[in-house]
């Protein structure tokens, strides 16, 4: 549809005019918003003042209300389903490995690339199993698994450019693995040893890597969203053909920073991707108790943003959705919201026991849709993988993780002086005083340190 202001703008607003991705023969296209300066919503008329931002996109500046030509007040009110059509979930591959579309419409990856996707998913799962066990043994203090969400990590990361900047929450270790980070680096961070690039200052799972364009994770919830907008705005001003992608859970979408981030991104027209992992639980709070409405994707409408809902357990669909979101964001200079539907098979963290707030049967049922199993079935059905190779891969990856864990555990801790470095360019007097006080304290109690 050619988006331009007609001389006599008027049309009827139809259900489904909301901005969203839809599947047409399973290739994704973008539904454009209505193009007129005026539209009629039953008896109620609005007049919009538009400014042409580009050849295809008008910008809403102001609106004014005209008279209501009806004496029935009930005609004024609109229920959500009358304004925004419910979002459907985009999917390509079934759990048994078969496709619900023509094979030609799958992401254009060769067999080696598909196998690499699967290998990183297996690596992440083996790392989670070993590191979780090490925490239970008291070898590390804390850990968070990604069981059931491996397809989100690898599917999205594989659709990005290495120059794109990642701002993660704390369940995106697979994104780092895909970008080339070694398990040893992650093990060093969890043990807070001298080889940890963060110099032992962060909790386990709070990864960061300048080399991989992966900003260091911080504990406070949702703070990365408005920060990501700043990253995107800086990239936009620099003219770079890259963007930020910011990950968060559906629970984080209940925080004020979520709305501030989306609003800043929309009004500043920042090319970026907001990636929501909707895994059903915000720690112990199920989604049904967190919010009402059609999930997280539907919130994009209020910010004039493009959105898509995708099957997060389908690595092919996640890859395709992320690739298209990136294209739209960069070519149309606008933010895109992705909501990936999945299920958190593990506990929220090692400080949590999820069986206190959800039945074991629910977890077992969700495990039948495990993304690693689905990807294995997809590869096996095409003759690209088999059970013997799979057993060898799992054994090899597990051995490598165990070796990394043992190496990290034996490495020395960072020197205590690192507690006071890297904050100020020149160390101020009060920090020097604290450092000296700590030095004397350790000298007085050497057996305790």
């Amino acid at each position: 549809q050619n988006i331009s202001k007609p001389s006599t703008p008027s049309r009827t607003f139809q259900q489904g005019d909301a901005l969203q991705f839809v599947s047409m023969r399973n290739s994704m296209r973008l539904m454009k918003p209505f193009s007129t300066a005026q539209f009629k919503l039953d008896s109620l008329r609005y007049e919009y003042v538009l400014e042409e931002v580009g050849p295809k996109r008008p910008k809403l500046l102001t609106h004014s209300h005209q008279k209501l030509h009806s004496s029935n007040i009930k005609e004024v009110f609109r229920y959500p389903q009358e304004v925004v059509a419910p979002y459907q979930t985009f999917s390509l591959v079934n759990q048994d490995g078969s496709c619900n579309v023509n094979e030609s419409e799958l992401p254009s990856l060769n067999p080696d690339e598909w196998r690499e996707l699967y290998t990183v998913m297996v690596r992440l799962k083996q790392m989670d199993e070993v590191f979780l066990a090490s925490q239970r043994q008291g070898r590390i203090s804390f850990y968070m698994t990604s069981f059931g969400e491996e397809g989100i990590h690898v599917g999205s990361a594989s659709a990005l450019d290495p120059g794109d900047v990642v701002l993660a929450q704390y369940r995106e270790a697979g994104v780092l693995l895909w970008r080339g980070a070694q398990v040893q680096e992650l093990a060093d961070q969890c043990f807070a040893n001298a080889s940890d690039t963060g110099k032992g200052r962060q909790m386990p799972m709070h990864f960061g890597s300048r080399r991989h364009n992966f900003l260091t994770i911080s504990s406070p919830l949702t703070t990365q969203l408005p920060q990501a907008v700043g990253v995107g705005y800086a990239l936009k001003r620099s003219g770079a053909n890259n963007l930020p992608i910011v990950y968060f859970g559906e629970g984080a979408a209940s925080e004020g920073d979520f709305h501030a981030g989306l609003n800043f991104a929309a009004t500043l027209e920042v090319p970026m991707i907001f990636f929501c992992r909707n895994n059903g639980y915000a720690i112990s709070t199920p989604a049904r108790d967190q919010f009402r409405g059609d999930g997280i994707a539907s919130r994009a409408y209020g910010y004039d943003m493009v959105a898509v809902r995708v099957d997060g357990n389908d690595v092919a669909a996640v890859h395709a959705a992320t690739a298209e979101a990136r294209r739209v964001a960069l070519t149309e200079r606008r933010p895109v919201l992705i909501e990936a539907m999945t299920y958190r098979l593990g506990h929220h963290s090692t400080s949590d026991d999820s069986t206190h707030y959800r039945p074991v049967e629910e977890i077992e049922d969700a495990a039948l849709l495990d993304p690693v199993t689905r990807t294995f079935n997809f590869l096996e059905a095409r003759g690209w993988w088999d059970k013997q190779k799979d057993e060898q891969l799992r054994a090899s990856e597990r051995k490598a993780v165990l070796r990394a864990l043992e190496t990290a555990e034996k490495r020395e801790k960072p020197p205590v002086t690192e507690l006071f470095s890297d904050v100020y360019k020149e160390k101020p007097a009060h920090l020097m005083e604290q450092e000296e006080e700590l030095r004397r304290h350790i000298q007085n109690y050497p057996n305790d340190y």
Side-chain angles (χ1 to χ4, degrees), residues 1-6 11 19 31-36 50-59:
Q1 184 179 8
N2 183 24
I3 305 295
S4 60
K5 285 188 285 187
R11 62 162 281 189
L19 286 168
M31 295 183 68
K32 297 296 181 182
F34 42 85
S35 62
T36 62
L50 300 178
E51 174 189 20
E52 293 296 336
V53 177
K56 294 185 178 180
R57 186 179 173 212
K59 178 179 180 181

Side-chain angles (χ1 to χ4, degrees), residues 18 25 30 68 101 124 137 156 169 197 220 229 235 257 269 416 444:
R25 286 173 48 82
L30 178 65
L68 173 64
V101 296
L124 174 60
Q137 296 164 0
S156 60
Q169 192 165 356
T197 56
V229 180
L235 289 172
D257 276 346
E269 298 176 341
V416 71
N444 292 333

Side-chain angles (χ1 to χ4, degrees), residues 32-211:
K32 297 296 181 182
F34 42 85
S35 62
T36 62
Q38 292 182 353
F39 67 93
K40 183 178 181 182
L41 180 55
D42 292 345
S43 305
L44 186 63
R45 293 185 62 84
Y46 293 90
E47 181 176 351
Y48 284 81
V49 180
L50 300 178
E51 174 189 20
E52 293 296 336
V53 177
K56 294 185 178 180
R57 186 179 173 212
K59 178 179 180 181
L60 177 63
L61 293 181
T62 62
H63 67 272
S64 60
H65 303 275
Q66 293 187 351
K67 287 185 177 181
L68 173 64
H69 302 292
S70 174
S71 60
N72 187 356
I73 189 64
K74 294 181 180 180
E75 293 185 6
V76 180
F77 291 87
R78 289 292 173 268
Y79 287 85
Q81 62 269 24
E82 296 178 306
V83 180
V84 181
Y87 280 79
Q88 296 181 327
T89 301
F90 175 66
S91 182
L92 293 172
V93 177
N94 301 314
Q95 189 63 26
D96 62 1
S98 63
C99 294
N100 50 42
V101 296
N102 189 295
E103 296 262 342
S104 63
E105 298 180 20
L106 292 172
S108 55
L109 303 174
N110 61 47
D112 287 339
E113 291 171 324
W114 283 110
R115 284 189 287 264
E116 182 62 21
L117 288 172
Y118 181 69
T119 297
V120 175
M121 293 172 72
V122 170
R123 182 175 304 148
L124 174 60
K125 193 161 190 173
Q126 293 300 315
M127 187 181 80
D128 279 349
E129 290 177 357
V130 172
F131 283 20
L132 174 61
S134 73
Q135 192 281 334
R136 298 308 191 201
Q137 296 164 0
R139 299 164 75 179
I140 59 175
S141 61
F142 178 82
Y143 195 72
M144 304 183 80
T145 65
S146 299
F147 296 136
E149 303 180 33
E150 297 90 350
I152 286 176
H153 300 209
V154 179
S156 60
S158 59
L160 300 173
D161 182 84
D164 296 336
V165 181
V166 176
L167 293 93
Q169 192 165 356
Y170 39 59
R171 217 182 294 276
E172 281 81 33
V175 177
L176 255 180
L177 292 176
W178 176 264
R179 290 197 156 198
Q182 301 301 305
V183 174
Q184 186 65 65
E185 297 176 73
L186 307 190
D188 289 336
Q189 196 280 328
C190 287
F191 276 92
N193 61 35
S195 297
D196 171 23
T197 56
K199 301 183 180 180
R201 300 181 182 126
Q202 284 274 20
M203 286 179 61
M205 300 301 297
H206 289 54
F207 307 119
S209 175
R210 182 190 299 271
R211 190 170 79 257

Side-chain angles (χ1 to χ4, degrees), residues 182-408:
Q182 301 301 305
V183 174
Q184 186 65 65
E185 297 176 73
L186 307 190
D188 289 336
Q189 196 280 328
C190 287
F191 276 92
N193 61 35
S195 297
D196 171 23
T197 56
K199 301 183 180 180
R201 300 181 182 126
Q202 284 274 20
M203 286 179 61
M205 300 301 297
H206 289 54
F207 307 119
S209 175
R210 182 190 299 271
R211 190 170 79 257
H212 299 106
N213 275 327
F214 192 101
L215 270 66
T216 303
I217 297 168
S218 56
S219 293
L221 194 64
T222 327
T223 55
Q224 72 273 21
L225 268 71
Q227 293 167 1
V229 180
V231 172
Y233 191 61
L235 289 172
K236 174 184 175 180
R237 286 177 58 105
S238 72
N241 195 36
N242 287 105
L243 49 66
I245 180 169
V246 58
Y247 293 88
F248 58 99
E250 86 289 343
S254 298
E255 293 282 340
D257 276 346
F258 169 82
H259 299 282
L262 265 65
N263 194 50
F264 270 121
T267 55
L268 296 174
E269 298 176 341
V270 177
M272 64 178 296
I273 299 173
F274 290 91
F275 197 108
C276 175
R277 294 177 286 96
N278 190 339
N279 63 19
Y281 286 89
I283 308 182
S284 60
T285 306
R288 64 180 178 273
D289 294 334
Q290 292 180 56
F291 52 79
R292 291 294 183 267
D294 186 22
I296 306 303
S298 63
R299 302 185 189 183
Y301 178 77
Y303 294 102
D304 189 33
M305 285 175 55
V306 188
V308 61
R309 176 175 290 152
V310 62
D311 182 352
N313 292 1
D314 180 351
V315 67
V318 174
H319 178 95
T322 307
E324 178 66 359
R326 185 178 188 276
R327 184 197 66 79
V328 170
L330 288 174
T331 57
E332 301 191 16
R333 316 303 288 176
R334 64 188 306 161
V336 180
L337 172 63
I338 298 175
E339 180 183 16
M341 309 304 292
T342 184
Y343 186 87
R344 195 193 76 210
L345 292 176
H347 306 300
H348 171 72
S349 72
T350 50
S351 302
D352 172 48
D353 182 358
S354 63
T355 60
H356 286 303
Y357 53 82
R358 59 180 181 176
V360 175
E361 293 77 15
E362 178 183 304
I363 302 172
E364 292 173 344
D365 289 345
L368 299 176
L369 301 177
D370 173 61
V372 180
T373 302
R374 185 184 305 196
T375 308
F376 169 82
N377 292 337
F378 174 82
L379 296 175
E380 185 183 46
R382 284 149 190 79
W384 299 341
W385 203 245
D386 57 46
K387 292 182 179 179
Q388 182 179 358
K389 292 178 181 178
D390 199 57
E391 291 175 359
Q392 294 172 348
L393 174 65
R394 290 172 185 264
S396 173
E397 292 294 338
R398 186 176 186 84
K399 183 177 179 180
V401 172
L402 286 168
R403 185 167 55 249
L405 185 79
E406 293 169 356
T407 300

